[in-house]
Amino acid sequence: MRILTGIQPSGKLHWGNYFGAMQPSIGMQEKGEAFIFIAQYHALTTVHDAEALRQATFDVAADFLACGLDPTKACLFRQADVPEVHELAWLLSTVTPMGLLERCHSYKDKLARGIAASHGLFAYPVLMAADILAYQSDVVPVGRDQKQHVEVTRDVAAKFNQAYGVEVFKLPEPMISESVAVIPGLDGQKMSKSYNNTIGLFDPPKEVKGKIMKIATDSTPLEDPKDPDACRVFALYKLFADEAELEEMRANYLRGGYGYGHAKKALFEIYQRKFGPFRERREYLVAHPEEVEAVLQAGAEKARAQARITLNAARRAVGLD
Ligand code: ADP
Ligand code: TRP
């Protein structure tokens, strides 16, 4: 089974991104043949700053490698290293009905947020379809907001196959992980960079500690029992803890005599225990960018070979061979 997902390089990742998207993506490497790419061309629909894009591209790669992506198991690459997807996107765009794109929520949401309506923004789902179809992907794990784009991909692939009477493309299935809960931010709303309530994955430990210490809690006195399920600190602790650790923390809350200050300290410690090794690995990669580059180039070579096969088949189907 081939599993593919793309991640836009859009700045520093936070805990919500890690638990909501990155950890499940890295988990794919154990479930099948995983392709994970950095969607630079998609980012260009909203980012127009060359240095920011360069830096964010490196950061995504380093973050993934630091957090456990194993390049011997998963293929990690940059979208821009596979120019074949553009030719494929054009071939697909010629069979994509305007109405299909006009119905896309993501496009409409972006306009509503004030992003200028460019052709790239409108054609975004066609490029995404090319990404998915180029690698003959079976399954595409995405957030709920991207599900419609995978459905568009299926429609476009079916249209192409039908128009030319050849099964050039495999129809992919979206995989929406309903079990991944929305990770709460410091203020209890969804953690999001738009709400300024995030804890960065690799923020300096002092900063992380400061943010944790400032999480608002209720005024139950230290000696009283507390409701773990109503507490933001507990909700974050849950992300890191194994079952035994979670039960112990729950018991601490329910017993009383355990203050929110203690819980915050425990949250910081468990974060350090889990992310300390990731942080060290990331520092190593930042000091050895050539190793990151080597992984990306090897990934691109593998991805490109597959994209070439698909593109050749599509060219043949339309009469460009
Ligand atoms: P942000 O809301 O900070 O702008 P993005 O929209 O760039 O984050 O999200 C990138 C990925 O991280 C998406 O797959 C999204 O589903 C996931 N993600 C972001 N925030 C959360 C959260 N609070 N809980 C769970 N997943 C999240
Ligand atoms: N549009 C996706 C997002 O914003 C990123 C992406 C681009 C993608 N191409 C893809 C995801 C192909 C899955 C498959 O999150």
Side-chain angles (χ1 to χ4, degrees):
M1 179 176 65
R2 185 166 289 168
I3 316 172
L4 168 127
T5 199
I7 290 101
Q8 288 203 43
S10 58
K12 282 205 309 180
L13 297 178
H14 52 71
W15 288 11
N17 298 139
Y18 176 77
F19 290 103
M22 202 168 166
Q23 193 184 45
S25 300
I26 293 174
M28 290 171 0
Q29 70 192 13
E30 310 301 338
K31 299 198 183 99
E33 196 188 353
F35 280 63
I36 300 177
F37 72 93
I38 308 170
Q40 300 151 295
Y41 291 132
H42 285 101
L44 280 172
T45 59
T46 49
V47 180
H48 294 156
D49 175 338
E51 196 38 47
L53 184 66
R54 249 178 237 122
Q55 184 63 44
T57 302
F58 175 83
D59 284 345
V60 175
D63 288 343
F64 267 86
L65 291 169
C67 293
L69 183 135
D70 177 349
T72 65
K73 292 183 178 162
C75 176
L76 178 69
F77 62 101
R78 282 177 293 233
Q79 189 183 30
D81 285 341
V82 188
E84 283 79 4
V85 296
H86 284 296
E87 188 172 350
L88 196 55
W90 181 259
L91 300 184
L92 295 172
S93 78
T94 60
V95 297
T96 305
M98 284 294 283
L100 201 58
L101 300 180
E102 279 161 355
R103 282 197 293 277
C104 285
H105 306 302
S106 163
Y107 175 68
K108 290 188 270 192
D109 290 349
K110 283 173 185 162
L111 295 198
R113 277 191 280 140
I115 297 173
S118 67
H119 173 253
L121 199 66
F122 186 66
Y124 181 115
V126 183
L127 180 59
M128 184 156 159
D131 288 327
I132 295 170
L133 300 175
Y135 308 106
Q136 303 289 347
S137 316
D138 298 295
V139 182
V140 185
V142 281
R144 225 160 296 172
D145 61 320
Q146 297 292 319
K147 182 167 179 243
Q148 192 185 25
H149 289 157
V150 182
E151 285 158 358
V152 168
T153 301
R154 290 173 58 89
D155 282 356
V156 171
K159 272 221 152 22
F160 186 100
N161 288 347
Q162 199 190 8
Y164 294 103
V166 210
E167 291 291 304
V168 174
F169 302 116
K170 194 184 262 185
L171 269 51
E173 296 288 341
M175 186 171 91
I176 316 295
S177 178
E178 302 293 345
S179 62
V180 174
V182 172
I183 314 303
L186 296 171
D187 56 0
Q189 297 189 78
K190 173 189 171 210
M191 187 179 286
S192 167
K193 59 181 172 296
S194 340
Y195 302 149
N196 212 356
N197 63 354
T198 62
I199 306 181
L201 205 53
F202 294 114
D203 280 350
K206 250 178 105 171
E207 214 172 287
V208 173
K209 191 167 190 180
K211 283 184 176 178
I212 290 174
M213 290 303 168
K214 281 203 221 94
I215 299 175
T217 46
D218 63 29
S219 53
T220 315
L222 186 132
E223 56 278 10
D224 287 9
K226 300 175 183 62
D227 178 4
D229 298 313
C231 177
R232 284 172 204 160
V233 182
F234 186 82
L236 293 171
Y237 187 83
K238 231 187 210 169
L239 300 170
F240 297 94
D242 62 27
E243 238 168 82
E245 290 164 329
L246 195 63
E247 278 323 299
E248 193 186 333
M249 183 57 83
R250 185 178 286 282
N252 287 336
Y253 269 72
L254 296 173
R255 186 176 358 93
Y258 188 85
Y260 290 119
H262 297 124
K264 289 177 175 179
K265 202 161 156 271
L267 172 59
F268 179 66
E269 280 166 7
I270 201 169
Y271 156 77
Q272 282 281 74
R273 222 180 318 131
K274 171 138 184 178
F275 281 17
F278 293 173
R279 185 188 295 280
E280 269 174 35
R281 172 109 183 101
R282 197 177 191 289
E283 281 163 8
Y284 172 86
L285 292 168
V286 168
H288 298 84
E290 70 287 353
E291 291 190 21
V292 177
E293 185 59 31
V295 167
L296 292 171
Q297 287 194 14
E301 206 176 308
K302 178 172 174 197
R304 218 177 157 183
Q306 173 62 64
R308 193 73 237 171
I309 294 171
T310 307
L311 178 60
N312 286 345
R315 287 181 63 113
R316 214 174 306 121
V318 303
L320 287 176
D321 49 336

